[in-house]
Amino acid sequence: MSEAPYALQEHFRDLEQQKDAATLGMWIFLVTEVMFFGGVMLSYSTARYLHPAAFAAASHYSDPLIGAINTAVLICSSLTMALAVHASQLGERKPLVGYLAATIVLGCVFLAVKAYEWSHKFHEHVVPGYDFSFPGPEARSAALYFTHYFAMTGLHALHMVIGVAVLGVLLVRAWKGRYTPAYHTPVELSGLYWHFVDIVWIFLYPLLYLIDIHR
Amino acid sequence: MSAVPPVEVEHHENYLNTSYGVWSWLLTTDHKRIGLLYLVSVTFFFFVGGFFATLIRLHLMTPQGTLVDAATYNKMFTMHGVVMVFFFLIPAIPTVLGNFLVPLMIGAKDLAFPRLNLASWYIFNAGGLLMIYSVMRGGLDTGWTFYPPYSSLYSNTHVVSAVLGIFIAGFSSILTGLNFLVTVHTMRAPGMTWGRLPLFVWSHYATSIIFVLGTPVIAITLALVGIERIFHLGIFDPSLGGDPVLFQHLFWFYSHPAVYIMVLPGMAVTTELITTFSRKRLFGYGFVAAASIAIAVIGFFVWGHHMFVAGQSFYASMVFSILSYLVAIPSAIKVFNWTATLYKGSISWATPMLYGLGFIGLFVMGGMTGLFLSALGVDVHVHDTYFVVAHFHYIMVGGTVMAYLGGLHYWWPKMSGRMYPEGLAKFAAVVLFIGFNLTFFPQFVLGYLGMPRRYHSYSPEFQVLNVMSTAGASILAVGYLLPMAYFIWSMRYGPIAGPNPWPGTGLEWLTASPPPEKNFEVTPVVTWDAYDFPNRHDLKYPAPTPGFTPAQTWPPE
């Protein structure tokens, strides 16, 4: 505590209480996020249950290989994030800065690939409500696949953008040496958030890319 | 009287006079000041919603309608419902009384995340402003339930901005619930164990669980409606392959638990009022605490009772019917325990107690008629009639608003440091009770006789009961305006209240009125159970002062 007195807010007894509160707060926030994504996943499940064939056909517009590469990128970013948390616990400034930077880069790679996939969808005229044409009688139902595709990946990408921004702030503060073995809660909690966003993608990838792969 | 020592009138440093100016309020992170900011906001929205209620009741004076055309009438009841539910009933007690009291009651200096708390007030107002914008631009007419495909395809009103307003305001609920949960878990004073928490805190804990688990679902649901409407997509639109019943499932998954968001804090207030003014330990502390959690949990599994006639499977309806009966058990446990607390209590008839007793009576009426509606056969008969309208107004207005006003009276001396005029306040409480019953009891009869809700006109034989209801509403309005007037009056002219005018047992009464900025001079150490009136020999009635006479002498000399 004496190492970082600026870190303790005055309504807490000590840093331990402050850390307990912050950690519990982040976990509860992640619970609300589960419920938030849960709503759109239920909507997806219902639509796919009603139109299984159209969903299978429409899923061919999403390349499983690109999705797999992006999944690997995201899992690697989770590794670098975990290493960053570890470095912050030990108070190692340079490795912390390095791992945070690596996580940001990997996050940006994911977003760039996502942007490429989205633009591809625009070129193929499968953007419901904007420019949509789909061969065959199932066009109306396939539109529901793409609606959920954009809603779910868009929501996930938004969370990624927020995550990258948060990591950017952490990077600056880590550079200034603000995080010590006694006070590194922000790095830990941002790590929790980052892992959560990764896990969401682990669900989205099979739901959107792999539903017709076994045929 | 000259022997009575003067009550503390010297100027003590408190949260109200520690700093002055607009910015000291708009940038405050003090949970007490934020509670008062919320008081201003929700009062504003209460009168906006009340304005539409007034127009509705005036319109329904005659069978063919006196005031507006059919389309405008649709907007009136929609905006009444949306504003009252999302911008008054859901936030009112947690954000005003909960914000002010939860840290005080557990002996903390503030909520765990004070800046988040302030942010949630701004978020709430941003959502509210969007709502007001929608109203000003011509309103919306979907009903407060936003059922698609009407809301997403056919309605020509301002659905998107209204939905966005509710979406934004929802995050203020989420953040408030998160803040309460973390605060109760991590910020309790030494000795304040879970078994010693006032039940006000237990109920707010249960409410926060619903805030956190339910609100994200309504957020994503309304977001999908907005997206569907803007881009003409088909998530809920059957003509485009979507499923409108899916919307109803998602909507009621939040909006039924939201009823418990409204009534659990009302129960929280009532428990405090009943014990203080019976001067008895609460009968069955553990049962009442567990009942709060049980209501929050079971409340998540009953949503299908809103959809008995919406085409869900018959077996689902049976299960939802049984589960809806189950939620009556913890609610009844609470009522029985309050009643048992009153039994052989040393009851005094202070104004807050009138509201507390009013809450119990009206809540029982609302709850019992809720059982009618969860019975499959009866529900088909009275579905979408004024019976339903009367039922939920008994819970929401008779329950929540009564408790909210009772709580405001009970803690007003703590919040403002001054007493309201007791005689006038008693009169207002009685006026409210009479006005409320005259407004809504006839609607039970109307509904049972078959008058449908949401229609701008009705058969002539219903006119007598409708005129009774409108007359009651005008009495009700007087009952709401009176407290508004004398609370404002008392802020300057009310008699000075001591730290503990009732006296109550909670930690909030151990500190000065109004409390200092950091709540307690010294963090209290708790060595007693909640509501331990027999063993709290430190509690004395304060000496009478001009304008304030304690209700009775207790403990006996």
Side-chain angles (χ1 to χ4, degrees):
Chain A
M1 188 172 148
S2 55
E3 290 176 59
Y6 53 83
L8 181 66
Q9 293 176 287
E10 59 176 329
H11 61 291
F12 289 111
R13 267 197 306 277
D14 47 37
L15 273 176
E16 192 193 344
Q17 188 190 31
Q18 175 170 306
K19 184 173 179 180
D20 284 351
T23 309
L24 182 61
M26 179 50 85
W27 277 108
I28 293 174
F29 173 70
L30 294 184
V31 169
T32 71
E33 290 278 42
V34 170
M35 299 306 289
F36 193 71
F37 278 100
V40 72
M41 285 192 185
L42 176 68
S43 173
Y44 165 92
S45 310
T46 309
R48 184 175 153 196
Y49 174 78
L50 292 173
H51 315 285
F55 265 58
S59 75
H60 288 296
Y61 280 74
S62 302
D63 186 349
L65 181 64
I66 296 180
I69 292 170
N70 238 356
T71 309
V73 167
L74 218 46
I75 290 175
C76 287
S77 81
S78 255
L79 174 67
T80 54
M81 188 68 229
L83 290 169
V85 171
H86 185 65
S88 78
Q89 286 166 343
L90 298 176
E92 294 168 345
R93 192 176 70 97
K94 274 186 182 167
L96 172 59
V97 170
Y99 288 131
L100 284 176
T103 313
I104 291 173
V105 169
L106 288 169
C108 291
V109 169
F110 176 91
L111 285 170
V113 174
K114 196 83 252 162
Y116 165 75
E117 286 185 290
W118 273 39
S119 69
H120 203 61
K121 298 261 184 320
F122 275 82
H123 291 140
E124 297 199 70
H125 312 290
V126 285
V127 185
Y130 172 72
D131 175 15
F132 190 77
S133 67
F134 191 85
E138 293 270 36
R140 197 192 66 170
S141 310
L144 276 176
Y145 169 87
F146 290 105
T147 299
H148 285 94
Y149 173 86
F150 282 107
M152 290 158 94
T153 58
L155 210 54
H156 178 260
L158 178 67
H159 281 77
M160 290 287 296
V161 170
I162 292 170
V164 168
V166 168
L167 292 186
V169 175
L170 288 187
L171 183 71
V172 173
R173 292 192 176 171
W175 181 265
K176 291 179 182 166
R178 291 276 287 274
Y179 302 118
T180 64
Y183 175 72
H184 52 267
T185 317
V187 185
E188 271 194 35
L189 299 190
S190 307
L192 274 180
Y193 173 81
W194 191 261
H195 297 317
F196 168 80
V197 177
D198 282 8
I199 291 170
V200 170
W201 176 255
I202 303 290
F203 280 89
L204 294 190
Y205 175 56
L207 287 180
L208 295 171
Y209 291 76
L210 304 181
I211 52 181
D212 199 35
I213 201 88
H214 58 281
R215 291 191 195 172
Chain B
M1 292 299 285
S2 57
V4 175
V7 194
E8 180 198 21
V9 286
E10 66 266 30
H11 207 61
H12 72 278
E13 172 100 348
N14 63 51
Y15 81 102
L16 292 172
N17 64 19
T18 183
S19 55
Y20 293 96
V22 175
W23 291 111
S24 78
W25 283 85
L26 292 183
L27 295 178
T28 183
T29 53
D30 183 346
H31 67 101
K32 300 182 288 301
R33 284 194 169 196
I34 295 170
L36 293 193
L37 291 175
Y38 267 116
L39 176 63
V40 174
S41 296
V42 300
T43 305
F44 170 73
F45 286 111
F46 178 75
F47 282 101
V48 172
F51 170 72
F52 293 120
T54 310
L55 295 182
I56 292 169
R57 281 317 324 164
L58 287 176
H59 177 80
L60 292 178
M61 293 260 283
T62 60
Q64 70 280 7
T66 45
L67 212 56
V68 292
D69 60 24
T72 313
Y73 181 79
N74 292 346
K75 292 181 180 176
M76 293 297 127
F77 73 72
T78 299
M79 293 187 287
H80 167 66
V82 169
V83 171
M84 282 298 199
V85 168
F86 293 107
F87 295 96
F88 176 73
L89 289 162
I90 286 175
I93 298 181
T95 58
V96 178
L97 298 174
N99 239 327
F100 196 94
L101 291 162
V102 166
L104 280 168
M105 284 183 164
I106 64 172
K109 289 182 189 141
D110 206 322
L111 287 170
F113 307 117
R115 278 178 297 176
L116 206 59
N117 195 19
L118 179 66
S120 73
W121 180 70
Y122 278 103
I123 293 169
F124 175 75
N125 284 326
L129 277 178
L130 258 173
M131 189 65 228
I132 296 295
Y133 166 82
S134 324
V135 170
M136 293 295 183
R137 286 293 303 276
L140 73 161
D141 66 350
T142 59
W144 80 278
T145 50
F146 293 102
Y147 274 15
Y150 183 71
S151 63
S152 60
L153 199 59
Y154 300 109
S155 173
N156 293 318
T157 54
H158 295 83
V159 179
V160 171
S161 54
V163 157
L164 188 63
I166 296 168
F167 178 85
I168 291 171
F171 286 94
S172 123
S173 291
I174 292 172
L175 297 179
T176 302
L178 188 151
N179 224 336
F180 284 172
L181 288 177
V182 174
T183 305
V184 175
H185 268 280
T186 61
M187 306 284 284
R188 283 170 286 128
M192 181 53 90
T193 60
W194 286 90
R196 285 175 178 166
L197 284 176
L199 284 153
F200 185 91
V201 178
W202 269 106
S203 276
H204 274 76
Y205 186 84
T207 308
S208 303
I209 293 175
I210 309 177
F211 269 145
V212 164
L213 292 180
T215 319
V217 179
I218 193 74
I220 189 70
T221 309
L222 293 179
L224 290 176
V225 169
I227 292 170
E228 173 165 329
R229 188 175 167 90
I230 295 170
F231 298 108
H232 302 288
L233 305 175
I235 303 164
F236 303 124
D237 181 355
S239 67
L240 294 173
D243 185 354
V245 180
L246 172 67
F247 172 86
Q248 299 184 20
H249 278 292
L250 285 167
F251 179 83
W252 290 114
F253 178 81
Y254 165 77
S255 293
H256 193 78
V259 174
Y260 302 115
I261 291 178
M262 301 176 213
V263 84
L264 272 169
M267 294 166 156
V269 171
T270 304
T271 310
E272 302 295 316
L273 303 183
I274 296 295
T275 49
T276 296
F277 295 102
S278 308
R279 313 231 59 81
K280 261 182 75 184
R281 282 200 190 108
L282 182 72
F283 185 87
Y285 173 95
F287 278 93
V288 179
S292 297
I293 306 296
I295 289 172
V297 173
I298 302 172
F300 271 109
F301 298 100
V302 304
W303 77 86
H305 67 215
H306 293 271
M307 301 160 58
F308 285 161
V309 298
Q312 73 181 357
S313 110
F314 178 68
Y315 296 102
S317 289
M318 288 205 301
V319 172
F320 280 123
S321 173
I322 291 164
L323 286 166
S324 306
Y325 274 100
L326 283 187
V327 85
I329 295 172
S331 312
I333 285 175
K334 291 203 170 205
V335 172
F336 285 126
N337 283 306
W338 292 326
T339 319
T341 307
L342 290 169
Y343 179 66
K344 289 194 175 173
S346 177
I347 295 172
S348 55
W349 302 97
T351 310
M353 185 61 157
L354 297 183
Y355 283 104
L357 295 173
F359 174 93
I360 297 179
L362 300 178
F363 175 72
V364 167
M365 285 280 294
M368 295 299 285
T369 50
L371 291 179
F372 291 27
L373 293 169
S374 57
L376 285 171
V378 185
D379 183 68
V380 171
H381 179 62
V382 292
H383 185 85
D384 261 349
T385 68
Y386 263 80
F387 191 88
V388 178
V389 175
H391 154 69
F392 69 70
H393 278 90
Y394 264 76
I395 296 286
M396 292 178 182
V397 185
T400 307
V401 181
M402 276 284 187
Y404 174 65
L405 285 173
L408 270 186
H409 283 85
Y410 181 61
W411 284 290
W412 188 252
K414 186 54 64 183
M415 298 165 98
S416 70
R418 290 176 185 269
M419 299 300 299
Y420 51 83
E422 178 72 17
L424 191 56
K426 276 189 176 139
F427 174 71
V430 173
V431 166
L432 259 176
F433 188 79
I434 294 171
F436 174 83
N437 281 295
L438 187 56
T439 309
F440 292 107
F441 194 83
Q443 298 186 2
F444 277 127
V445 184
L446 281 171
Y448 194 77
L449 294 177
M451 177 170 160
R453 65 192 283 204
R454 292 177 168 156
Y455 278 55
H456 76 291
S457 61
Y458 53 84
S459 304
E461 72 262 27
F462 295 137
Q463 188 173 10
V464 173
L465 287 165
N466 269 297
V467 169
M468 280 170 71
S469 183
T470 301
S474 58
I475 298 174
L476 197 57
V478 174
Y480 287 134
L481 290 171
L482 273 177
M484 170 103 175
Y486 63 68
F487 276 141
I488 293 173
W489 172 87
S490 75
M491 281 195 285
R492 192 169 182 93
Y493 303 106
I496 302 281
N500 194 356
W502 308 120
T505 54
L507 286 185
E508 77 270 27
W509 301 112
L510 286 186
T511 189
S513 300
E517 196 186 358
K518 289 295 161 199
N519 291 349
F520 300 94
E521 303 297 342
V522 188
T523 301
V525 178
V526 184
T527 57
W528 56 87
D529 290 341
Y531 317 114
D532 194 5
F533 288 97
N535 297 319
R536 288 291 297 277
H537 300 296
D538 57 318
L539 299 182
K540 294 274 191 295
Y541 270 102
T545 56
F548 174 62
T549 314
Q552 52 181 321
T553 50
W554 187 92
E557 295 296 326

